[in-house]
Structure formats: C-alpha cells, structure tokens
Amino acid sequence: MFLETGNSKQGKGGHRQNLSEIVDGLRPSHSKAAKSRTIDFHASAKEKSRYPPNITRNTKYSIISFLPIVLWEQFKFFMNLYFLLVALSQFVPQLKIGYIVTYVAPLCFVLAVTIGKEAVDDLKRYRRDQEANSQLYRMLTPTGFKVIPSSKIRVGDMIVVKKNQNVPADMILLRTTEASGACFIRTDQLDGETDWKLRLAVPSCQALSSDEALLQLNASVYADSPHKDIHSFVGNLTREVDGPGPQTEPLSVDNTLWTNTVVASGNAIGFVIYTGRDTRAVMNTNHPKTKIGQLDSEVNRLSKILCAFTLTLSFAMIAMNGFQGLWYIYLFRFLILFSSIIPISLRVNLDMGKTFYGYQIMHDEEIPGTIVRTSTIPEELGRIEYLLSDKTGTLTKNDMELKKLHMGTMSYSVDTMDEISTHLNTAYSQQSSGFNRAHGTSHAGGSKARRDISSRVRDIVQALAICHNVTPVQEDNGSITYQASSPDEVAIVKWTESVGLTLVFRDISNIHIRNSSGDTFEFEVLQLFPFTSETKRMGIIVRDLATGEITFLEKGADVVMAKIVQYNDWLEEECGNMAREGLRTLVVARKKLSEEMYQEFEAKYHVAKTSISDRTNAMNAVVNQLLEQDLELLGVTGVEDKLQDNVKATLETLRNAGLKIWMLTGDKIETATCIAISSKLVARNQVIHSVAKLKDEQSAQDELEAIKIKRDCCLVIDGESIQLYLDHLREEFIELTVRLPVVVCCRCSPTQKADIARLIKRYTRKRICCIGDGGNDVSMIQQADVGVGIVGKEGKQASLAADFSVNQFSYLSRLLLWHGRNSYKRSAKLSQFVIHRGLIISIMQAVFSAMFYFAPIALYQGMLIVGYTTIYTNAPVFSLVLDHDIRESVALTYPELYRDLTKGRSLSYKTFFSWLLISVYQGGAIMILSILLFENQFVNIVSISFTALVLNELIMVALEINTWHRLMIVSEIATLLIYMVSMVFLPTYFDLTFILTWTFWWKVLVITMISSFPLYVVKKLRRVFAPPSYSKLTG
C-alpha cells in the first residue's frame, strides 16, 4: 500500500467543455525538493545546523497571527461581514439607531465563541507539541551517553530508542539489542497499519563489539532527498577499511526507523538522517481544508438575496417619501433597521444543529463505534448520489481463508484438505527413511505414483511455509501469533500449520519449520524480495541447512507469474475458475540454484543494490535476468475473502435509494465480478458488460457504442482500459459511465481511485461518498464530498482521514437513510425558520415606518430586540432539530424515499420565496391589525405588536413540527412563561395595568389568529391536494 496525500484542487468552469482541463489537472505537480545528503559519523555542529531543527509544530497559529487569521476566516463569510459593517455604522452619530449594544453584542458573542473555540483547540495542540518536543532520549557521544530532549536532536546524531518508545526523527538503524540484528516496529501512527514491520540493523554495525565502537568508525551515510513515500528509501553506508578502497553497504527502507513509529522489540541505536519538516511523518501530514456542505453554500446564496431585498426595501422607503431631506443618510438608517433580515443567529443555530446531529450519530446504539470527524457536513449524508467503494476490507472482511490448492493434475478444496496432511506425512516419513528429497524416490516398496504425488504436495506446502514475510511472535501467555503486512500471507501460513507444517521461528537470516512428527527443518535466508504493488510478487532464496541445496521460491499474481513459469496448459484456465468463485489467486513456483549460479547472482545483485541512481529498476533487472526464467510451477492457491456482515442487504438498499455505485479495486476482473454478483451489487438479471485490455482508440470507441445499447448494464473495466479512455476518449467515457447504475473498476491504483472520484465530482456536480478501509483509499476518501473510513484489519489510516468512521459497511445505510435524511431536513427547516424570524420583524418595522411618514425610527429597541432572537424564540426554534418527518422504520424500509432528498427540494428558491411571502403577510398583518384594533391605545403599540409577534412565532414552530418531542413541548411552554414573567420586569416596554385587561388579550389573540390561522389552512390543503411522497406510508 502507498500513502497518498496532498492532492491539489482545481476549479471547474464548464460542464463539458472544460473536461480536458479537469483531467489534465489530475496529473501530479512536481515541487522543488530538498537535495540528497551525505552525513559523516563525526559531522561538526556547523554541518548539522544546515538541516531543519527537530521541532514538532502542529499549531495553526502563532501569538501574532492568531487574531488576524481567525477574524479573516470569520469575515470572509458574507453574513458576518454584513453585521460587522452594521455594528461599525452605529459609531457614526447620524446612523445610530437605538442602543449600540443591540447590534454589537450578537456579533461579539458569535466571534467570542469562535475565537474561544479556536484558542482552546490550538492551545491543546501547543501542549501536545511541547510534550513531544520535551521527550528525553539518550545520545551517544565521545564522552558517553547524554540525555537530550527531542527538539535538540540534529542530523548526524546517534540516538538510543528504547522498547515502546517513539522514534523522534528519521533514522538509519545501526544496532539493536536483538542478537540477530532484527527489530520490530509499530507503524500505526504513521500509516495506520496495525501489523508489526521488521527492520534490519546495518550488518557491519551490528557486528561491532559494543555501541561505543560506532564512534570509532570512519564512515558516512548517503541519503536520498527527503520525499513523502514511506515505503521507499535509497542510501548507502560507506566506511574506510584496511584495503584498496572504502566498503559500501546498501541501505533500503528495511534499514530505516521513521518518525512516529514505535520500537516494539529490544532497544535500537539510530543515526539521524532527517529532522523536522524533512521527516516522512511531517511531509505526509496535510491539513485538509474544512469541507463546506452544499446546504451551507445554498444558505450563503440566500443571504445575498436577503441583502438585495434589504437594499430594495430601504430604497423603496425613501423613494415613497420622495427622496426628501438627507435621503442618503435615511437610506443607511433603513438598512440598519432592516438588518435583522439577515439573521446573525443563523450560523450559530446551524453550527449548534450540526453538533447535535454529530452527537446523535455517535450515540446511535444501532451503529456503535461510529465517529464524526468532520462536524460541518452531516447534511451531506442526505444528498449522496454516487457511492465509490473499495472491495477488500470494505465489502469483504479482509478475513482470509485458503479454500483451494490446485497443482495441475490434482486439486484440493476444504473437504479434501485432510488428504494433503496424509500426503505430507507420507513424504516426510519417506524422506526420514532415506528417500531422495528432491524426487521422492526410494528403494522401499509402495506406489511410485503415490510417492510422486506426496513429494509434489510436500514441495508446494513447504514452499508456502517458507516463501513469505510472516514472523511468529510469542505472546506473554505463551501463545503464538503471526505478524505480517498482508492477511493473505497470514492465512496461508495458518493453513500450512493446519495441514501439519508449522512456522516456529523466523529472523532475518533463518527460518525453521516443524512437521506433525516433530521434525524441524532449518533454512538459511540468503535473499528476500518483498512484495510491491509494481512487481505483484515476492520471492526468497533459501539454503537447506541439512542438504545445502539452494532454492529460489516465488509467489505472485497470475498475470505476472504466467510469463515467468515454464509452459503449461492449465494455469490460466484454473486461475479464471478460482476467480469466478471469488477466490484471490497466488501462483507458486521455484527454481533450484547451484552454488555457482547463486554466487554470480549475488555479485551482480550487490552492485545493483549499491547503485545510487535507479536502484530499484537495476535490482529488478538482475532478478529478472538470472532468476525469473523458466521457473518450475508448483501450483495455485485460492484464498477466500469473506463478505462483510449484511453487505448484500446494504448494497440493495442503497441501490434502491437511487445511488449509483462504483466499486474500485486492485483485484482482477474475474474476482471483482464474482464479488459484485455475490454481494448483490449487480441486480438480479442485470447484464454485465466487461471491458479489458483495450489497446487502441477504435476498439475503445466500439465498446462505448456497445454500452450505449445496454443502458442498464453493469460495466466491469480494468485499469489499463480506464487509462486509455482518460487519455483519448475521456469526455465520451465519463458522460456515459456516470449514467450507469453500477461500475466496477479493476486493477486500480490508489492514484486512479482518487482521479475517478475527482472526475465524477467535477463532471456531474453531484455529491459523492467514498468509502474504504486501507491506506490506499485515503486519497479517494479525501477527494469525496463525504469520506467514510472503515476501521479494519489494514489499520486506521482510512478511518483517521475520513469525515465519518464506521466499523462496518452495513452502517452506511442507516447513516445515509436515517441520519442523513434528518440532518438535511432539519437544517433546511431550521435555516428557513431563522430567516423567517428575522424577516417578519423587519416587515413590521417597514409597515411601522411607512405609516409614520417613512421615518427611520426603530420599532423595538434594547432588551426586546435582543430577547426576541434569544430567550423569547430561540429554544422553540432550535427544538426543530428534534423533528423528523417519518419514522425510522419507514425510512429504512422504503429507501426509495431517499431519492427525493437528492433533488434539494427542502431548501430551494421555491421554499425560500414561500417563506418570504409568509413573512410579508404575517409581519404586515400583525402590524396593521395592531394599529387598527388598538387605535385608542397607540402608546402601547410596542407591547401589543411584540406580544402578538412572540405568540405567532410559537404557533408557527408548532405548525412546522411533524413529530412532537417532549423537549419541544417544554420549550414552547417555558418560553411562553418566561415572556409573560419578563413583562413584569420590563416596565419601560410593558404597562401592566393595560396588559392585565381582557381587552388587551382578546385583541392580541385575534391578531395572532389572523396572522397564523391561514397558514394552518394552507398546510392542511397542501396535505390533501399535494401530499408528500411518504404520506401513504405514514398514514
């Protein structure tokens, strides 16, 4: 797996005409990198000072930059900037209306909350940095060991890292307390992978008599330039020795200890090569920008319309007054009077709502362990139209079990595995009785054919027990566990144990295996060739210490191994058969080497390993030339990766919800197709159209024409063909594929996954969700509008990089259909109601001013204007976050209801202008009726209209509620009581002798009924003549 980070973002201009620019933007850019370096073991302080200090700094701000950056982040939002200008205008005497605190306090409150939150978060980061920088380590010096903090470590230092201690800088492993020179490290904090990694000390340094002897070496380390790839490193250790010239030892990633890894076995001494910002950990640390949801963008657009409405209303007021007097001053005063049309409380309410939705998701007992890492986009869960999913570990469990073994003329499955144990026992008993080890022949009696079968079974099982990167580790309770970077390898080693051949010991130079009779076979490891995604195979050269035989063993994907093994007529067919059963195939082969052949290889390979330029290709070329020719084919293994729990039902549910699903995997077409069928990703009777190994543009065009005929088909395509389309027919390809219900992309690299996600998002402008479980899914997850990471066997890297972390793929249906629905619906209703609350009071202000000679005089001041949006209406309005339009069981049983959400009808220009008309009607009705009904009590117009306004808002909240919650009832009653009690304590606004009269209350109730009852009638009529899609389901 590769760690993919730092994907750049490009803008989008058009829908189709700029698609070329979009794809061109997918190609990585190259920045100027730091140079490679050669560091002497006795480097001077001046030379060490050339490199960055080893300081951890994860804070977002400094003392100087804190306020400017935080304020900029706030005032780049239109609403906040608008209210800043309104607040500042109150310091101009000609523009002042009412109390300054009325306009300044709300803005200061919003800013104080934001600044406080940012300050607390950054203070926590600062303290974590200080803790990391002050960690103490022992440094080897000519005068002995010296204790220094992590921040004082420099390039060229020799640092001791104890067991279970974090590695403070990027180092070369010189020595370890393990006699073998092997050292295990944990890398979960770097790449998210939970398995232990084996690291090797430099052989010449490990062979020294003591740690202090390192200081006597006249040596230097060459290290390539710093880069992000944690899986590659090119270096050399050169030391002066007695002889004709210096001795050079190659250094690879196996000799490194990267920052933030943890030493898991023994103590280690490392030579520091990179510090601070040059370390792999820092270079791979990216701070993705805060995602802004579609609803936030829609609200921002509506706020600009409200601003235009405010300006229009203000201009209309002075126009109707004939532009008399200082009309431009009056224009600004009206703008300030109507400023509540753009409510500053909107952002506060929405942010509080998002926090509440996140709390509900994380405390949902039906999806335990779910974590909301990005709290700003829960509404996006209700707008998803494309789902891009990884296969292994996401749709499947990454729980491997070897199900089949095929050897050409023989095939074994789960039911016949006991025969393998029998053959194995026969082969080893013959061997111990004096049989020829290589050919399985004997002078004893018995069936020669059976001996041949037994020896062949022994050969492949023994090859599987040796050719791997698995290390047995003894736990504290005495049990043995296996550590490896791939669950495939662990599954195979566990299988060899089950049939009678157990891996009992492994270090860098030896492997010991034991058969069921208790006989131990020891092998010396001469060379190891690890698996990479480029080579798609791994190999090992071992020497049998009993016979001295040298054997090269190799296993890998059939597409590469087929070109390496001797000619046969069954490999391709059997690999295809296994793939159709959903099994992951590995081809196993071997080659016996003479001592001369190995020595020739070792000499050439050493030269390639010490080369500085293009080292990897040079090493691969030597292996290919001298080893990977005419290998003896031993057999093929088929490993099953079990499906996740409830994955079939989940995929069917999401497909019924209208999501177009893409599966992106690195597996071969046959395996991916089988998983797509078995997981019900492909619907029953749905046609599967496969596209593979396209070489030219014409054949690619022909395939597109064929797909157009099968509009409802499932497209299965390999990475090579995808690249051809992106290079030559990208517009036609993406335009066609985004309309298909299911697409399966096979043999995809991590970069291709991210490219596809970015391309779909930019071309369709629809919301996409990407889900995965491994480090190779991180780039794809970060490109999505909503990234979901699964905590799986590959570690937590995808989970940590995602917006939402879940434990199972099946949680996705509840996350989208229930929580996504509620989050979107509630936020849409809340935002429009808060806008309505501001609009209605501004309309009342406009009517009041119009009736009194268009004078820009405030209707409500002081406590009333502040209390209106806080203690008098806030609790009932915010209680809308508890509302839901349908029951949970209905939302999950009828996923088709989700399709309506993606159309964005809950918050649209239509609904916005409906609320605008409601506000105009209600504001006008309350103000006009207050003046008409209380003509003789005009001095009490404020208390009359304000009481009717508060009662109207409480009734409007009640009308908007679909499902009552007890807290909603409490908030309504409590708010009403608080308002009535506050009348006693606000004699400036309320005349108690007047308020306690029957005339006051019946007239206020009449005003309230006239303003709100028509809305109730309209709502009932709409229910009858234009019912929502779920009305029949809810009764």
Side-chain angles (χ1 to χ4, degrees):
M1 287 186 298
F2 290 88
L3 191 65
E4 301 276 332
T5 55
N7 293 302
S8 59
K9 297 184 177 181
Q10 281 82 21
K12 176 172 172 58
H15 183 61
R16 286 194 47 159
Q17 63 271 26
N18 287 333
L19 194 60
S20 301
E21 298 172 19
I22 291 173
V23 180
D24 291 338
L26 304 181
R27 299 188 176 94
S29 59
H30 299 278
S31 58
K32 186 178 179 181
K35 296 180 179 179
S36 57
R37 57 192 67 182
T38 300
I39 311 140
D40 194 82
F41 268 34
H42 306 283
S44 63
K46 182 179 180 182
E47 185 179 350
K48 292 180 179 181
S49 66
R50 292 168 44 204
Y51 303 105
N54 196 49
I55 296 173
T56 299
R57 185 179 184 276
N58 291 306
T59 54
K60 290 171 65 177
Y61 316 101
S62 66
I63 294 176
I64 297 173
S65 67
F66 176 72
L67 270 178
I69 294 177
V70 172
L71 292 176
W72 162 252
E73 289 293 327
Q74 288 305 302
F75 290 124
K76 71 180 183 182
F77 287 103
F78 178 78
M79 282 189 292
N80 288 354
L81 180 61
Y82 176 83
F83 269 94
L84 174 66
L85 296 175
V86 169
L88 292 176
S89 71
Q90 293 305 287
F91 292 95
V92 179
Q94 293 87 343
L95 302 180
K96 185 179 177 184
I97 296 177
Y99 302 107
I100 292 178
V101 69
T102 305
Y103 298 93
V104 175
L107 179 64
C108 289
F109 173 75
V110 172
L111 292 178
V113 170
T114 303
I115 291 172
K117 181 178 180 295
E118 288 295 315
V120 169
D121 289 347
D122 217 44
L123 183 61
K124 290 179 181 177
R125 285 189 285 265
Y126 174 76
R127 286 175 177 169
R128 286 196 296 267
D129 289 347
Q130 289 296 98
E131 184 180 350
N133 290 327
S134 60
Q135 290 289 320
L136 299 179
Y137 293 87
R138 295 170 67 208
M139 181 173 71
L140 183 60
T141 68
T143 57
F145 287 100
K146 177 183 176 183
V147 177
I148 61 170
S150 171
S151 58
K152 299 294 183 183
I153 293 174
R154 307 307 298 258
V155 170
D157 290 344
M158 294 184 188
I159 303 296
V160 177
V161 185
K162 297 180 180 179
K163 183 179 179 180
N164 293 326
Q165 194 173 24
N166 275 45
V167 177
D170 288 357
M171 305 177 178
I172 297 297
L173 177 59
L174 298 180
R175 286 174 58 81
T176 173
T177 52
E178 301 289 329
S180 64
C183 174
F184 279 106
I185 61 171
R186 298 197 300 270
T187 63
D188 52 307
Q189 295 302 313
L190 181 63
D191 61 8
E193 296 182 8
T194 55
D195 57 286
W196 291 7
K197 306 290 193 308
L198 182 68
R199 291 294 182 262
L200 310 175
V202 178
S204 61
C205 297
Q206 181 67 22
L208 295 175
S209 57
S210 66
D211 296 339
E212 289 75 9
L214 289 169
L215 298 171
Q216 309 304 319
L217 293 179
N218 184 11
S220 64
V221 169
Y222 165 81
D224 61 351
S225 58
H227 56 80
K228 290 182 177 183
D229 191 352
I230 62 174
H231 301 291
S232 70
F233 172 74
V234 175
N236 285 329
L237 187 145
T238 305
R239 61 193 185 108
E240 299 294 336
V241 293
D242 297 333
Q247 178 182 328
T248 300
E249 294 179 81
L251 301 175
S252 69
V253 71
D254 293 332
N255 306 112
T256 60
L257 301 174
W258 297 141
T259 307
N260 286 346
T261 58
V262 178
V263 173
S265 64
N267 297 338
I269 294 184
F271 182 76
V272 179
I273 54 173
Y274 306 120
T275 52
R277 63 174 181 269
D278 287 346
T279 60
R280 297 291 200 271
V282 173
M283 295 185 80
N284 277 295
T285 300
N286 65 333
H287 302 283
K289 294 181 180 179
T290 302
K291 291 184 178 179
I292 299 175
Q294 192 172 10
L295 184 132
D296 290 316
S297 300
E298 290 167 348
V299 168
N300 201 44
R301 285 197 296 271
L302 294 181
S303 66
K304 293 175 182 177
I305 295 175
L306 289 173
C307 181
F309 180 75
T310 305
L311 184 61
T312 303
L313 188 60
S314 302
F315 193 80
M317 297 299 288
I318 62 168
M320 286 188 289
N321 196 32
F323 296 96
Q324 295 180 13
L326 300 173
W327 63 269
Y328 47 88
I329 297 292
Y330 297 152
L331 176 64
F332 279 103
R333 287 174 66 89
F334 275 121
L335 282 171
I336 295 163
L337 278 175
F338 301 147
S339 62
S340 58
I341 287 179
I342 307 176
I344 194 170
S345 60
L346 178 56
R347 277 186 57 79
V348 177
N349 277 276
L350 284 177
D351 289 345
M352 289 170 60
K354 292 171 193 285
T355 303
F356 176 71
Y357 309 146
Y359 174 85
Q360 282 194 316
I361 291 171
M362 289 193 287
H363 289 80
D364 188 341
E365 294 179 357
E366 298 295 322
I367 48 174
T370 301
I371 300 172
V372 179
R373 301 195 188 277
T374 305
S375 61
T376 57
I377 56 169
E379 304 92 352
E380 296 293 275
L381 293 169
R383 311 283 292 274
I384 302 301
E385 294 191 50
Y386 287 88
L387 175 66
L388 277 61
S389 174
D390 177 40
K391 182 182 75 68
T392 305
T394 303
L395 298 179
T396 61
K397 288 184 176 179
N398 214 1
D399 182 8
M400 310 294 184
E401 182 182 353
L402 194 145
K403 291 285 189 179
K404 272 198 171 183
L405 179 68
H406 202 288
M407 299 162 57
T409 57
M410 299 166 292
S411 179
Y412 300 95
S413 59
V414 176
D415 298 333
T416 54
M417 289 300 180
D418 55 331
E419 294 183 22
I420 294 180
S421 300
T422 304
H423 285 307
L424 209 56
N425 291 332
T426 301
Y428 280 118
S429 64
Q430 291 170 347
Q431 180 178 310
S432 61
S433 301
F435 282 78
N436 181 282
R437 186 163 188 167
H439 303 288
T441 57
S442 171
H443 300 293
S447 167
K448 185 176 187 301
R450 180 168 180 81
R451 287 198 301 272
D452 287 342
I453 294 173
S454 298
S455 63
R456 288 177 61 193
V457 168
R458 180 204 61 205
D459 288 344
I460 188 169
V461 175
Q462 187 168 289
L464 291 170
I466 296 171
C467 185
H468 52 69
N469 251 324
V470 180
T471 303
V473 177
Q474 186 167 1
E475 302 292 340
D476 295 336
N477 59 7
S479 62
I480 299 292
T481 59
Y482 296 114
Q483 290 290 341
S485 58
S486 167
D488 298 63
E489 293 206 312
V490 174
I492 290 174
V493 170
K494 284 183 177 179
W495 175 81
T496 63
E497 180 182 3
S498 70
V499 296
L501 199 58
T502 306
L503 175 68
V504 293
F505 176 79
R506 167 76 181 264
D507 63 15
I508 60 173
S509 55
N510 290 281
I511 293 177
H512 298 172
I513 55 177
R514 183 185 299 134
N515 65 15
S516 57
S517 302
D519 301 324
T520 301
F521 304 93
E522 299 181 2
F523 297 86
E524 179 187 1
V525 179
L526 301 178
Q527 298 287 349
L528 183 67
F529 314 103
F531 176 89
T532 68
S533 57
E534 287 83 14
T535 62
K536 293 184 172 59
R537 58 189 181 274
M538 71 87 56
I540 190 171
I541 300 179
V542 294
R543 187 197 305 271
D544 188 331
L545 295 180
T547 64
E549 285 184 352
I550 299 174
T551 308
F552 169 57
L553 301 169
E554 190 165 53
K555 67 180 181 186
D558 57 298
V559 289
V560 293
M561 294 296 290
K563 304 169 187 176
I564 297 172
V565 299
Q566 295 169 352
Y567 173 77
N568 62 88
D569 57 1
W570 59 270
L571 178 60
E572 184 177 355
E573 181 182 354
E574 289 305 326
C575 286
N577 291 338
M578 288 189 186
R580 280 184 282 276
E581 295 177 35
L583 303 179
R584 297 157 65 95
T585 55
L586 277 177
V587 178
V588 187
R590 73 175 178 183
K591 184 175 189 176
K592 296 189 175 182
L593 306 176
S594 65
E595 189 68 38
E596 294 75 17
M597 291 171 65
Y598 175 70
Q599 292 301 330
E600 179 189 1
F601 166 78
E602 203 279 332
K604 292 184 177 180
Y605 195 63
H606 179 77
V607 173
K609 282 205 297 184
T610 54
S611 65
I612 293 175
S613 62
D614 205 18
R615 176 183 293 183
T616 303
N617 287 336
M619 292 162 61
N620 289 339
V622 174
V623 173
N624 186 261
Q625 179 186 351
L626 299 180
L627 297 180
E628 294 179 332
Q629 303 289 336
D630 290 330
L631 269 64
E632 177 190 352
L633 176 59
L634 298 178
V636 183
T637 63
V639 176
E640 180 190 49
D641 191 0
K642 300 174 184 174
L643 287 175
Q644 287 264 10
D645 296 335
N646 300 318
V647 73
K648 297 179 183 179
T650 303
L651 285 171
E652 190 168 359
T653 297
L654 295 176
R655 193 171 57 248
N656 291 337
L659 272 69
K660 293 179 173 64
I661 304 174
W662 291 47
M663 183 171 81
L664 312 180
T665 176
D667 267 347
K668 61 176 70 67
I669 278 189
E670 294 83 359
T671 307
T673 303
C674 180
I675 294 295
I677 295 171
S678 62
S679 65
K680 303 297 183 187
L681 179 63
V682 178
R684 192 173 300 164
N685 301 323
Q686 191 172 30
V687 177
I688 297 176
H689 185 91
S690 296
V691 176
K693 299 180 180 178
L694 294 180
K695 300 296 183 184
D696 59 85
E697 188 176 339
Q698 183 57 49
S699 57
Q701 184 66 57
D702 294 341
E703 290 290 351
L704 288 180
E705 293 299 325
I707 297 170
K708 286 179 182 178
I709 300 172
K710 312 171 185 175
R711 296 302 296 271
D712 193 42
C713 72
C714 165
L715 173 64
V716 180
I717 184 170
D718 66 353
E720 184 181 348
S721 302
I722 289 174
Q723 201 59 51
L724 179 67
Y725 279 118
L726 293 181
D727 291 340
H728 301 288
L729 296 165
R730 50 198 172 202
E731 294 187 24
E732 294 85 347
F733 174 72
I734 195 66
E735 182 182 8
L736 182 60
T737 53
V738 294
R739 297 175 184 172
L740 297 175
V742 180
V743 178
V744 178
C745 301
C746 313
R747 298 298 193 194
C748 277
S749 67
T751 305
Q752 276 184 319
K753 289 183 178 184
D755 290 349
I756 291 169
R758 193 183 301 121
L759 195 58
I760 294 173
K761 184 169 71 170
R762 291 182 179 173
Y763 182 83
T764 64
R765 294 187 178 181
K766 305 294 185 183
R767 317 314 281 174
I768 71 167
C769 172
C770 293
I771 181 168
D773 75 312
N776 58 339
D777 301 315
V778 168
S779 297
M780 174 180 74
I781 286 171
Q782 289 181 337
Q783 282 301 318
D785 296 301
V786 176
V788 181
I790 294 180
V791 180
K793 293 192 174 182
E794 291 189 35
K796 294 185 177 181
Q797 191 176 356
S799 165
L800 294 172
D803 303 309
F804 299 89
S805 170
V806 296
N807 290 336
Q808 293 182 28
F809 180 83
S810 59
Y811 291 178
L812 200 59
S813 59
R814 186 177 181 84
L815 202 60
L816 268 58
L817 303 185
W818 178 240
H819 291 291
R821 179 186 190 87
N822 288 338
S823 299
Y824 170 57
K825 286 272 191 178
R826 291 165 175 174
S827 284
K829 183 178 291 185
L830 180 64
S831 59
Q832 291 177 122
F833 206 96
V834 172
I835 290 172
H836 157 76
R837 186 175 63 184
L839 270 169
I840 190 172
I841 197 170
S842 295
I843 296 298
M844 291 174 66
Q845 173 68 59
V847 173
F848 175 78
S849 295
M851 286 190 168
F852 292 95
Y853 309 105
F854 303 99
I857 300 171
L859 173 60
Y860 305 120
Q861 297 183 10
M863 183 59 197
L864 292 188
I865 197 68
V866 173
Y868 173 64
T869 57
T870 53
I871 59 175
Y872 295 149
T873 60
N874 194 59
V877 170
F878 188 71
S879 72
L880 290 172
V881 300
L882 297 168
D883 190 28
H884 53 84
D885 57 347
I886 57 176
R887 294 189 307 275
E888 177 185 322
S889 57
V890 174
L892 299 176
T893 306
Y894 300 97
E896 293 81 5
L897 295 173
Y898 187 84
R899 296 171 186 257
D900 289 340
L901 303 181
T902 59
K903 297 172 184 175
R905 291 174 178 170
S906 296
L907 179 63
S908 62
Y909 289 122
K910 179 181 177 181
T911 59
F912 169 73
F913 284 110
S914 297
W915 277 102
L916 180 60
L917 291 174
I918 291 170
S919 303
V920 170
Y921 166 73
Q922 291 188 325
I926 291 173
M927 199 67 236
I928 292 170
L929 288 172
S930 296
I931 293 171
L932 293 177
L933 291 178
F934 291 90
E935 189 175 356
N936 297 328
Q937 297 92 13
F938 188 75
V939 69
N940 295 307
I941 192 68
V942 169
S943 59
I944 297 164
S945 62
F946 194 78
T947 303
L949 174 63
V950 171
L951 291 177
N952 179 80
E953 289 304 282
L954 294 179
I955 292 172
M956 285 299 293
V957 169
L959 290 177
E960 284 303 306
I961 292 172
N962 294 297
T963 307
W964 282 89
H965 188 280
R966 62 179 181 275
L967 289 179
M968 293 175 170
I969 300 171
V970 170
S971 67
E972 290 266 332
I973 296 173
T975 299
L976 183 59
L977 291 175
I978 288 171
Y979 177 68
M980 296 178 71
V981 170
S982 70
M983 289 179 173
V984 179
F985 298 97
L986 297 171
T988 308
Y989 309 108
F990 301 103
D991 180 0
L992 285 179
T993 56
F994 172 66
I995 288 172
L996 293 175
T997 63
W998 171 245
T999 302
F1000 171 80
W1001 283 108
W1002 80 258
K1003 288 186 177 181
V1004 165
L1005 290 175
V1006 167
I1007 294 170
T1008 306
M1009 289 299 294
I1010 292 174
S1011 68
S1012 58
F1013 185 72
L1015 275 300
Y1016 171 76
V1017 174
V1018 170
K1019 182 179 180 181
K1020 287 297 181 182
L1021 291 175
R1022 187 179 296 166
R1023 274 276 189 177
V1024 174
F1025 296 106
S1029 57
Y1030 54 81
S1031 57
K1032 292 182 180 179
L1033 303 175
T1034 57

